């Protein structure tokens, strides 16, 4: 094949691939209020033995999100290929030091073996640019900023007409922004299954079901000052039940109860059990969309003590 023929073949292939594709561009703006942005505890005893309360520790602010989404979709006879790029910038009105930028890109590929049996795959690369330490991850002092590679592959199927089930495997590599003293990263391996029952009543959706999952996280902790590297392994088991109720064409309620158990395989110090009920109410109209998300988390560590040998407990709302 000569050079000119090869060039014509390449451009013809690209034209066929792009010609029947769909491009979508959308822009969005979202306002809200975030309490305790850094997710710090209500009380903290500093090095001078001074008790600091939430009035001093917490940073809260109204915020404005400005984002865009660029989407490319190509549909074949049995499969679908999609590319999504979604940058979102959040501006805090009174806590500008916590402003953040999220750059989220995804590749998705679905293949339909039959109407009831699908193979779904995705590759995600996400960058979060934000200053500060995430106090919710205080055991490892993780930074808010990171880059994440996330790979998913799963089989989705129906055991019967109203059923929706899946089996999914996942690998993730997360690198947190380095601090002056160390670098932190982890590899995660996960498998989870899900079962959902779907019912329609007067065109209103009702669905309920459960999920089960197991994860393994291997952390690498590199000390810049001492030039040493250590590791930590945490295993997670989680289970959830959920119920979705559609009141009307525009109003939807989604409730979930999640249980999580973290097992510290390295030194058994940071294992915990956690229960988290959450409720989401969303309204979608022709010109207006609103969502209210509420959750409460109770976390109890299994061997980490505080004053008077009492086990450490966390409450999040």
């Amino acid at each position: 094949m000569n050079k000119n023929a090869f060039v014509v073949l390449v451009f013809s292939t690209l034209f066929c691939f792009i010609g029947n594709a769909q491009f979508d561009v959308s822009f969005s703006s979202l306002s809200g209020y975030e309490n305790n942005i850094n997710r710090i505890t209500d009380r903290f005893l500093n090095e001078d033995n001074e008790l600091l309360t939430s009035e001093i520790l917490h940073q809260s602010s109204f915020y404005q999100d400005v984002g865009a989404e660029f989407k490319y979709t190509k549909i074949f006879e049995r499969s679908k290929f999609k590319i999504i790029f979604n940058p979102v910038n959040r501006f805090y009105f009174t806590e500008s030091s916590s402003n953040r930028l999220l750059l989220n890109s995804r590749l998705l590929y679905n293949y339909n073996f039959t109407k009831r049996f699908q193979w779904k795959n995705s590759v995600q690369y996400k960058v979060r640019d934000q200053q500060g330490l995430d106090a919710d991850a205080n055991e490892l002092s993780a930074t808010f900023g990171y880059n994440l590679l996330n790979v998913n592959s799963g089989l989705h199927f129906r055991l019967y007409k109203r059923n929706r089930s899946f089996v999914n495997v996942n690998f993730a590599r997360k690198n947190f922004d380095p601090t002056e003293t160390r670098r932190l990263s982890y590899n995660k391996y996960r498998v989870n299954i899900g079962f959902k029952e779907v019912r329609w009543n007067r065109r209103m959706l009702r669905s309920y079901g459960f999920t089960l999952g197991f994860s393994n996280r291997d952390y690498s902790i590199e000390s810049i000052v001492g030039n040493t590297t250590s590791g930590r392994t945490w295993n997670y088991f989680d289970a959830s039940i959920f119920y979705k109720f559609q009141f009307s064409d525009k109003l939807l309620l989604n409730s979930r109860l999640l249980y999580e158990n973290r097992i510290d395989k390295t030194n058994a110090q940071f294992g915990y059990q956690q229960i988290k009920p959450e409720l989401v109410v969303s309204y979608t109209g022709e010109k207006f969309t609103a969502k209210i998300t509420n959750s409460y988390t109770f976390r109890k560590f299994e061997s980490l003590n505080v004053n008077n040998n009492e086990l450490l407990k966390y409450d999040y709302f």
Side-chain angles (χ1 to χ4, degrees):
M1 180 182 295
N2 60 41
K3 183 178 179 180
N4 292 334
F6 177 75
V7 171
V8 171
L9 177 62
V10 170
F11 276 94
S12 299
T13 303
L14 289 174
F15 179 80
C16 292
F17 189 78
I18 297 175
N20 296 325
Q22 178 179 348
F23 293 90
D24 294 297
V25 179
S26 62
F27 300 92
S28 63
S29 178
L30 173 68
S31 299
Y33 179 82
E34 186 171 352
N35 180 56
N36 191 11
I37 297 170
N38 294 324
R39 294 180 283 202
I40 298 177
T41 182
D42 291 337
R43 294 176 295 172
F44 179 76
L45 195 65
N46 64 13
E47 296 178 352
D48 298 327
N49 205 31
E50 179 184 4
L51 181 64
L52 305 179
T53 61
S54 60
E55 287 78 10
I56 300 174
L57 295 169
H58 290 187
Q59 293 180 326
S60 303
S61 174
F62 285 96
Y63 63 82
Q64 182 68 46
D65 282 353
V66 178
E69 184 177 73
F70 305 90
K71 188 184 302 183
Y72 165 85
T73 305
K74 175 70 175 179
I75 299 176
F76 303 92
E77 183 178 355
R78 285 179 170 264
S79 60
K80 179 189 293 187
F81 176 77
K82 185 179 294 186
I83 302 174
I84 302 174
F85 179 62
N86 180 216
V88 178
N89 212 338
R90 172 166 293 186
F91 301 95
Y92 291 98
F93 294 151
T94 59
E95 301 292 344
S96 59
S97 61
S98 297
N99 289 352
R100 75 183 188 208
L101 173 65
L102 292 177
L103 299 175
N104 193 12
S105 56
R106 288 174 290 166
L107 300 177
L108 300 97
Y109 177 76
N110 298 342
Y111 185 84
N112 299 322
F113 294 100
T114 66
K115 292 183 178 180
R116 297 189 175 188
F117 189 36
Q118 294 179 312
W119 181 34
K120 296 185 177 182
N121 304 274
S122 66
V123 178
Q124 177 192 38
Y125 184 73
K126 184 176 182 181
V127 177
R128 176 171 175 163
D129 183 11
Q130 184 175 11
Q131 302 298 316
L133 294 176
D134 183 358
D136 190 27
N138 54 55
E139 298 95 330
L140 289 172
S141 299
T143 56
F144 275 122
Y146 61 79
N147 63 79
L148 170 69
L149 174 65
N150 202 0
V151 181
N152 283 285
S153 182
L155 297 175
H156 294 247
F157 50 90
R158 300 185 187 184
L159 299 175
Y160 48 89
K161 183 177 180 180
R162 293 176 176 171
N163 175 251
R164 308 289 188 273
S165 299
F166 69 86
V167 178
N168 190 76
V169 292
N170 166 255
F171 168 77
R173 169 72 178 178
K174 193 170 187 178
N175 295 289
F176 295 91
D177 288 350
T179 66
E180 295 180 355
T181 58
R182 67 175 183 172
R183 296 183 179 91
L184 177 67
S185 63
Y186 71 73
N187 291 333
K188 183 185 76 171
Y189 307 89
R190 176 174 172 80
V191 58
N192 62 314
I193 63 173
F195 178 93
K196 180 167 67 174
E197 179 89 3
V198 177
R199 295 179 179 272
W200 294 88
N201 184 12
R202 298 179 181 178
R203 298 175 59 186
M204 299 295 107
L205 173 66
R206 311 283 191 274
S207 65
Y208 54 88
F210 68 87
T211 62
L212 297 172
F214 176 80
S215 303
N216 171 269
R217 287 190 188 182
D218 289 321
Y219 283 86
S220 174
I221 307 167
E222 180 183 349
S223 175
I224 299 176
V225 178
N227 196 23
T228 59
T229 302
S230 60
R232 179 172 291 172
T233 299
W234 288 344
N235 289 338
Y236 293 82
F237 169 77
D238 58 85
S240 71
I241 55 175
F242 59 88
Y243 181 72
K244 183 181 292 185
F245 184 89
Q246 187 176 3
F247 290 96
S248 66
D249 293 338
K250 300 179 179 180
L251 189 61
L252 180 67
L253 180 147
N254 198 348
S255 60
R256 182 181 296 269
L257 178 63
L258 174 67
Y259 167 80
E260 181 179 85
N261 182 20
R262 183 169 77 186
I263 304 168
D264 189 344
K265 302 293 291 185
T266 304
N267 55 22
Q269 184 178 11
F270 294 107
Y272 64 70
Q273 296 191 51
Q274 174 175 294
I275 296 177
K276 180 181 180 179
E278 62 181 10
L279 179 67
V280 179
V281 180
S282 57
Y283 175 87
T284 304
E286 294 180 1
K287 297 182 179 181
F288 179 76
T289 299
K291 179 186 290 186
I292 300 176
T293 303
N294 294 281
S295 67
Y296 168 75
T297 303
F298 175 76
R299 179 185 299 178
K300 182 177 181 180
F301 286 82
E302 297 177 343
S303 60
L304 192 60
N305 293 327
V306 289
N307 295 333
N308 301 321
N309 292 323
E310 181 184 356
L311 291 175
L312 179 63
K313 301 176 183 178
Y314 282 179
D315 290 277
Y316 299 90
F317 178 76

